[in-house]
Amino acid sequence: MVKNRRLESEGPIFGIRHLQCLLVFCGLSVAYALRVNLSVAIVAMTDRNDSNPDFDEYKWTEKTKSLVLSSFFWGYVVTQVPAGSLAHKFGGKVMLLLGIGVCSVLTVLTPICAKLGDWKLVCGLRVIQGLSQGFLFPSTHTILSKWAPVEERGTLGTYSYSGAQFGTVVMLATSGVVASSSMGWPGIFYISGGVGMVWTFAWFAWGASSPAEYKKISPEEKKLIETSLGCASKPEENTAPMKTPWCRILTSVPFLVLTLVHCTHNWGFWTLLTEIPTYMKNILGMDIKSNALLSALPYTAMFLMCFVFSTLQSTLSRHQCIPLSVSRKLFNSIGHWIPMITLIALGYVGADRINLAIVLLTITVGINASTYLGFQVNHIDLSPNFAGVLMGITNCAANIMSIIAPLIVGFIVTDEKSSAQWRFIFFIAAGFYFIGNLLFVVFGKTTVQSWNDMESSRVAKERDGNCAESQH
């Protein structure tokens, strides 16, 4: 009750912490637009009949196009773990600024690179873009761990990460129009890269790694944040970054479970993202990629559901209906086990039920938004001080699964028109969803781990009373 009165009486309704989350939302929107722009533009780049015919056309084979599209993730996986450590050492603001800033500049240079070096130079450029975006999620988690009070962690985290879906929706829905305009397919890269540069300047001016770095924050809001996080992390002023306890982290059961659930999530999500268009073309007789608005529909649903789930979680938290641990596991179960059911059902939908297939696909992707209130914010629960490091490790492992999953599909689906083979793929993805969430429900934790702050463990007992309140 004391905690709730404090939250109601201190700090503005829209404070600096909300500004930071808004900026992060815009940054993730830009980052995902830069990530998916080539998947749309490459259609126009290789077939001028699909866009403005006045621009260059490249005779790239399907193998070459797949190579170019996948090259982003080669770099993306590499920088995940070091990104977490660098964000912990130098602050989330600097690393996020460099990551999106570099990616934006390279995006603007994409058309000229294609002209000068054909697909090889574009492939190299995308690898560097992947390297730069590897800093994205570890830096975002580090920022949220410093700005989001424990009571608002799920809501602010969901609002911030919903930018990923928003950027995907905007890019998928507008790229076709831009490619057909007088700007042609190069306009896709010029516009998205230009917007990224604008965001970089805005983040440089108004972004901050922590409340301690933001000079104009009100004393009330700063006190609200630091009081809430006081039992989970030390004040940052005059404090050098702590040494990362790698051994303790890598042998922590709650963290290992978190890594596994992140991997199983990515297996299901990326199987869906990369293979559903092929399935709908060969089994249902339609090409979902040919309709930009239809391609964006599942991600529009996911974006909107972010706000539905965050509002629900905020209401439950405000009325103290369920403990934090139950909340995390409940929303993660919604985000994994409902898609598990719809994936299985999708495998039995025939070509005569196209509308039903689209509904199931939209539900499967849209309900995934619930995981933002589940495992995706659990890194901060376990260790606010090393949240970026944890995110870097789990995201690295999970994105390796993202690369492997499509390869397994290619191994199993030898006949793309075989419903039985595709059904087996959906069963595998559904099985990963089931197992991953089951492990999280049974072994997942939300309490701050002892290795979060080794130096202050000596005085932990003196603060147990206050910590219990902050950690629910």
Side-chain angles (χ1 to χ4, degrees), residues 60-81:
W60 295 345
T61 64
E62 288 298 321
K63 182 179 180 180
T64 299
K65 287 191 285 187
S66 298
L67 196 64
V68 172
L69 289 172
S70 65
S71 59
F72 176 92
F73 294 96
W74 306 346
Y76 186 70
V77 171
V78 171
T79 48
Q80 292 293 323
V81 177

Side-chain angles (χ1 to χ4, degrees), residues 303-324:
F303 172 70
L304 296 175
M305 290 304 294
C306 285
F307 299 95
V308 174
F309 287 127
S310 63
T311 301
L312 176 59
Q313 191 272 344
S314 179
T315 301
L316 293 174
S317 178
R318 185 168 59 251
H319 292 89
Q320 297 183 326
C321 297
I322 54 178
L324 181 63

Side-chain angles (χ1 to χ4, degrees), residues 89-380:
K89 183 176 181 180
F90 297 108
K93 175 182 177 177
V94 175
M95 305 318 300
L96 197 60
L97 183 75
L98 290 174
I100 298 181
V102 170
C103 192
S104 299
V105 172
L106 294 178
T107 297
V108 173
L109 296 177
T110 301
I112 191 170
C113 286
K115 191 176 186 67
L116 295 177
D118 203 58
W119 70 268
K120 297 181 182 66
L121 189 54
V122 174
C123 193
L125 181 143
R126 291 289 289 182
V127 171
I128 300 174
Q129 285 183 304
L131 289 169
S132 66
Q133 283 213 19
F135 293 94
L136 198 64
F137 288 121
S139 299
T140 298
H141 253 48
T142 301
I143 291 167
L144 288 173
S145 72
K146 305 300 182 184
W147 277 101
V150 174
E151 300 81 2
E152 302 175 4
R153 189 173 286 162
T155 301
L156 295 181
T158 301
Y159 288 163
S160 298
Y161 280 109
S162 65
Q165 281 68 53
F166 184 75
T168 300
V169 169
V170 171
M171 182 53 61
L172 290 176
T174 61
S175 293
V177 176
V178 174
S180 300
S181 69
S182 59
M183 298 184 70
W185 62 260
I188 297 175
F189 300 103
Y190 295 146
I191 293 175
S192 58
V195 172
M197 291 180 183
V198 171
W199 178 88
T200 302
F201 287 113
W203 180 246
F204 178 79
W206 296 304
S209 295
S210 67
E213 292 185 9
Y214 204 98
K215 303 304 180 184
K216 295 183 179 180
I217 188 173
S218 68
E220 294 81 11
E221 185 178 10
K222 185 177 181 181
K223 181 181 178 183
L224 184 152
I225 297 170
E226 292 182 347
T227 300
S228 178
L229 301 179
C231 295
S233 60
K234 298 192 305 182
E236 294 185 55
E237 297 89 338
N238 304 318
T239 302
M242 292 178 289
K243 184 178 180 180
T244 304
W246 291 106
C247 185
R248 296 289 300 276
I249 290 175
L250 297 176
T251 55
S252 169
V253 173
F255 172 70
L256 293 176
V257 169
L258 178 59
T259 303
L260 287 173
V261 71
H262 199 163
C263 289
T264 58
H265 171 82
N266 269 36
W267 183 288
F269 187 81
W270 282 93
T271 295
L272 201 68
L273 186 65
T274 59
E275 301 300 336
I276 283 297
T278 303
Y279 168 79
M280 298 192 79
K281 176 181 179 180
N282 293 293
I283 302 300
L284 303 181
M286 61 178 294
D287 186 357
I288 196 171
K289 284 188 175 180
S290 66
N291 189 320
L293 293 177
L294 189 58
S295 298
L297 180 61
Y299 302 97
T300 304
M302 189 173 181
F303 172 70
L304 296 175
M305 290 304 294
C306 285
F307 299 95
V308 174
F309 287 127
S310 63
T311 301
L312 176 59
Q313 191 272 344
S314 179
T315 301
L316 293 174
S317 178
R318 185 168 59 251
H319 292 89
Q320 297 183 326
C321 297
I322 54 178
L324 181 63
S325 60
V326 176
S327 175
R328 293 281 186 263
K329 294 174 182 180
L330 171 64
F331 283 100
N332 205 74
S333 297
I334 293 172
H336 278 176
W337 283 352
I338 292 180
M340 172 190 72
I341 295 171
T342 54
L343 265 178
I344 294 173
L346 189 62
Y348 290 96
V349 176
D352 57 334
R353 313 277 306 269
I354 292 178
N355 290 335
L356 177 59
I358 294 173
V359 169
L360 290 173
L361 173 60
T362 303
I363 293 174
T364 304
V365 177
I367 295 297
N368 261 272
S370 184
T371 61
Y372 285 128
L373 295 158
F375 85 90
Q376 301 216 39
V377 77
N378 189 231
H379 307 73
I380 307 176

